[in-house]
Amino acid sequence: AVERTLSIIKPDAVAKNVIGEIESRFEKAGLRIVAMKMVQLSQEKAEGFYAEHKERPFFKDLVGFMTSGPVVVQVLEGENAIKANRDLMGATNPKEAEAGTIRADFAESIDANAVHGSDSPESAEREVSYFFSAEEICAR
Ligand code: CMP
């Protein structure tokens, strides 16, 4: 089925100047970018986004990292987009990510891991609407 998923290019990848290279991987895989913006997340916005991790020991560092510089937030659309995006990203920990994945190629650590992608249809729906209103998503 055609799905939509939320993707974030994290501050480490933006700082490395590889936004285009990462977008290119999505496009080459047949995913369409149907919404996108560059934003500096506030602490409150980052905490709300990662609310499910609130009790985890890495929460504070995660929020600190995600607010350390601008991010690119986008909605990717395509056949099985949620899994397709996660396959392109590779494992959360870049040391475990398969060769040729975004994290294997651009990420340094489990914190600075270049990209985020929704992990289920439920989180995709929540995450897309956390960042984008209906009018900001363009049918293509
Ligand atoms: P992300 O997909 O954005 O979702 C939560 C983030 O927390 C994850 O990517 C990692 O960057 C970060 N993180 C840090 N430590 C851990 C951990 N032990 N397990 C999972 N995620 C972690």
Side-chain angles (χ1 to χ4, degrees):
V2 173
E3 294 173 339
R4 286 178 175 171
T5 189
L6 186 86
S7 162
I8 304 179
I9 301 179
K10 296 189 179 185
D12 58 318
V14 173
K16 271 189 179 171
N17 216 21
V18 293
I19 296 170
E21 288 193 53
I22 292 174
E23 303 293 10
S24 169
R25 291 184 182 212
F26 299 143
E27 293 185 335
K28 283 181 182 142
L31 294 171
R32 296 178 297 278
I33 300 163
V34 295
M36 76 187 303
K37 55 189 163 193
M38 183 181 263
V39 284
Q40 167 67 55
L41 299 180
S42 65
Q43 182 170 328
E44 187 185 18
K45 188 86 179 171
E47 285 177 350
F49 182 73
Y50 282 119
E52 66 177 305
H53 295 304
K54 207 172 168 154
E55 307 305 327
R56 308 284 288 273
F58 57 81
F59 183 70
K60 200 163 177 278
D61 285 349
L62 173 61
V63 170
F65 175 65
M66 291 301 286
T67 57
S68 67
V71 297
V72 177
V73 190
Q74 60 226 323
V75 180
L76 305 177
E77 183 182 79
E79 196 60 31
N80 297 318
I82 297 165
K83 180 171 191 297
N85 180 39
R86 292 184 69 83
D87 289 347
L88 291 170
M89 291 194 300
T92 305
N93 185 345
K95 293 185 183 73
E96 292 162 10
E98 254 183 82
T101 60
I102 293 168
R103 283 167 170 160
D105 291 346
F106 301 115
E108 304 303 331
S109 69
I110 195 164
D111 297 300
N113 67 350
V115 280
H116 167 85
S118 308
D119 65 3
S120 67
E122 296 70 36
S123 51
E125 188 158 328
R126 181 186 85 83
E127 293 178 0
V128 166
S129 56
Y130 191 78
F131 282 107
F132 295 97
S133 66
E135 312 84 79
E136 288 177 306
I137 303 172
C138 301
R140 304 184 34 185

